[in-house]
Amino acid sequence: MLKDKVKQLAETWHQEVVSIRRHLHMHPELSFEEVHTGRYVQHLLNEAGIPCTGGWAGHGVVGVIEGNHPDRAVIALRADMDALPIQEENDVPYRSQHDGVMHACGHDVHTASLIGAARILHELRQHFDGTIKLVFQPGEERMPGGASIMIEEGVLDDPSPRSIIGQHVYPLLPAGTVGFRAGKMMASSDEIELHIKGRGGHGAVPQFTIDPIAISAQIISGLQQLVSRISDPTIPSVLTFGHIVSDGGTYNVIPAGVRLKGTFRTFSEYWRFQAHDRIREIATGIAASFGATCDVKITVGYPFLVNDDALTARCEEAARAFLGAEHVREIPLRLTSEDFAFYTHRTHGCFYRLGVANEERGIVSPVHTPTFDIDDQALLTGPALMAWLALSELSDGSHS
């Protein structure tokens, strides 16, 4: 059966996929700086005989695998390639060789898995009808997101995929398992910058100042009402400020200004932009009530990610048939965000989670931490399942 061939090929190339992931992990590159990574991906695809083009959104790569009757249907598979500005703390032979840069979100896993899936699908190209488009995307971690740029450049055109599938590491699941969720899955994400301008002075005579630090505290408290009292409680939302810096000031000096940076996330496009207006009104209103001003800048980021119900149901069923029902889980809604969301607002999308944890070996660190790592079993499951999902979508079901 074709299922067995996919598993056999995944086993055959498992160590090579592990080596590819470790090479990428040792040589991480930040968003939109993936020069080496893009060239490496192109080299691997060319070596496998898979046609590809580079330069997408800077350093992205798109490969194409044609089966029988290439025009019958097109399916896209996506992986992101960029790393994060984090100093790695893992003591492993493949730790990052670039100070302050680390694949702490598993994009090295995604890229290596898609290379492995591509090798499997290229080998089995006589067993499916249609075309598989391989999307290796830069810049997922940085706005405006490599996905939005690649879409503008035509990645979803000529040929146009009827659906796109992506996966993401998930340390809350053990390696060898995967997680699915139909419908809304991840939140939109916007960046908020506030600059409160008051009047500085001596800390012992606050009556002669307009204290922007005290005002910033009032603004932060006031803006929390946006989520707790203004928003519809049936629409998940979160407003977080993670950066507060004064324009000067010290123990006994009140500064003239304070700068805040935060994020607003939700699952409704209508409420999202309503909230932007309310953030401006509340922040400027509170500042004005104390005699200060507040400049508000909101950068619109990624939309919410929505998995197509029918496609996700088919992928979950295919995963159960391939991995066994005990290795497929339902996952909860999360207010993290992903620029894969841009694809899901343009075509049918399915974004699922790849388990990477191994509690016995202590591999349990969350993503975006300096100790994040994976169990290599995930690099057997990742390529094999992604290849199988593509084959399942292009098949008539006769090989299942």
Side-chain angles (χ1 to χ4, degrees):
M1 292 194 302
L2 191 56
K3 184 191 306 181
D4 294 330
K5 291 181 180 179
V6 171
K7 291 183 177 182
Q8 289 168 4
L9 289 170
E11 288 279 2
T12 299
W13 287 318
H14 179 226
Q15 288 307 313
E16 181 179 341
V17 172
V18 170
S19 296
I20 291 169
R21 182 259 168 169
R22 291 186 176 186
H23 173 86
L24 293 168
H25 194 86
M26 291 171 67
H27 304 283
E29 294 174 301
L30 295 174
S31 303
F32 300 111
E33 299 176 12
E34 308 92 339
V35 178
H36 164 83
T37 306
R39 289 175 181 169
Y40 182 59
V41 167
Q42 282 189 273
H43 166 74
L44 293 171
L45 293 177
N46 288 330
E47 192 176 56
I50 299 172
C52 63
T53 57
W56 290 82
H59 307 294
V61 179
V62 175
V64 175
I65 301 173
E66 293 185 343
N68 304 310
H69 312 293
D71 295 334
R72 177 180 173 185
V74 182
I75 303 296
L77 303 177
R78 176 267 200 173
D80 41 13
M81 305 189 299
D82 52 327
L84 287 162
I86 293 176
Q87 180 66 44
E88 182 161 15
E89 295 179 4
N90 291 315
D91 184 16
V92 291
Y94 50 87
R95 75 190 305 267
S96 172
Q97 295 185 2
H98 298 171
D99 286 343
V101 185
M102 177 190 174
H103 271 296
C105 198
H107 297 188
D108 52 343
V109 178
H110 308 160
T111 298
S113 290
L114 185 51
I115 290 290
R119 292 288 299 270
I120 294 169
L121 292 165
H122 185 65
E123 183 77 15
L124 299 176
R125 61 191 182 279
Q126 299 303 317
H127 293 268
F128 65 86
D129 291 338
T131 296
I132 296 169
K133 183 177 279 191
L134 312 168
V135 179
F136 294 88
Q137 179 207 302
E140 189 280 323
E141 297 285 357
R142 179 178 158 195
M143 293 185 184
S148 67
I149 299 173
M150 291 188 78
I151 290 171
E152 289 178 3
E153 293 176 350
V155 75
L156 296 181
D157 306 317
D158 194 28
S160 298
R162 71 182 185 192
S163 59
I164 185 167
I165 299 170
Q167 63 181 356
H168 197 291
V169 296
Y170 197 60
L172 296 178
L173 288 178
T177 63
V178 294
F180 288 87
R181 182 181 182 85
K184 292 179 180 179
M185 178 182 176
M186 300 176 75
S188 61
S189 176
D190 302 316
E191 293 179 348
I192 303 165
E193 297 178 54
L194 307 180
H195 187 193
I196 301 158
K197 300 175 184 178
R199 183 170 64 241
H202 199 294
V205 286
Q207 69 272 28
F208 299 124
T209 73
I210 299 175
D211 187 347
I213 289 182
I215 295 169
S216 71
Q218 294 293 326
I219 289 175
I220 291 172
S221 296
L223 285 175
Q224 293 308 313
Q225 301 295 315
L226 185 79
V227 173
S228 66
R229 285 296 178 268
I230 299 174
S231 72
D232 183 338
T234 65
I235 302 173
S237 301
V238 65
L239 175 63
T240 297
F241 285 97
H243 179 90
I244 304 177
V245 176
S246 65
D247 298 337
T250 185
Y251 298 101
N252 61 347
V253 176
I254 293 172
V258 171
R259 299 172 188 268
L260 295 84
K261 294 181 180 180
T263 182
F264 178 71
R265 298 160 185 255
T266 188
F267 285 91
S268 164
E269 289 297 291
Y270 176 72
W271 162 238
R272 176 188 189 186
F273 292 101
Q274 268 197 326
H276 292 179
D277 292 338
R278 298 305 299 271
I279 289 169
R280 293 185 183 96
E281 292 170 3
I282 292 169
T284 57
I286 291 175
S289 71
F290 288 99
T293 62
C294 182
D295 296 334
V296 181
K297 178 183 177 183
I298 300 177
T299 302
V300 176
Y302 308 160
F304 64 82
L305 191 157
V306 56
N307 280 330
D308 181 79
D309 289 340
L311 173 63
T312 304
R314 293 196 303 271
C315 286
E316 186 169 357
E317 182 181 359
R320 291 179 186 278
F322 189 74
L323 299 174
E326 69 276 15
H327 297 295
V328 180
R329 314 283 178 82
E330 297 291 327
I331 57 173
L333 198 71
R334 285 171 65 91
L335 276 91
T336 51
S337 62
E338 237 281 353
D339 80 345
F340 187 86
F342 285 111
Y343 301 117
T344 70
H345 285 260
R346 291 289 298 272
T347 189
H348 302 295
C350 176
F351 195 64
Y352 64 92
R353 295 293 193 172
L354 177 68
V356 296
N358 186 324
E359 289 190 12
E360 291 183 1
R361 295 180 53 203
I363 302 175
V364 294
S365 292
V367 295
H368 289 224
T369 67
T371 55
F372 172 76
D373 202 357
I374 69 156
D375 187 287
D376 287 341
Q377 171 68 25
L379 293 167
L380 183 61
T381 305
L385 181 60
M386 184 163 269
W388 178 251
L389 295 181
L391 290 169
S392 298
E393 278 299 293
L394 291 175
S395 76
D396 60 5
S398 60
H399 63 257
S400 61

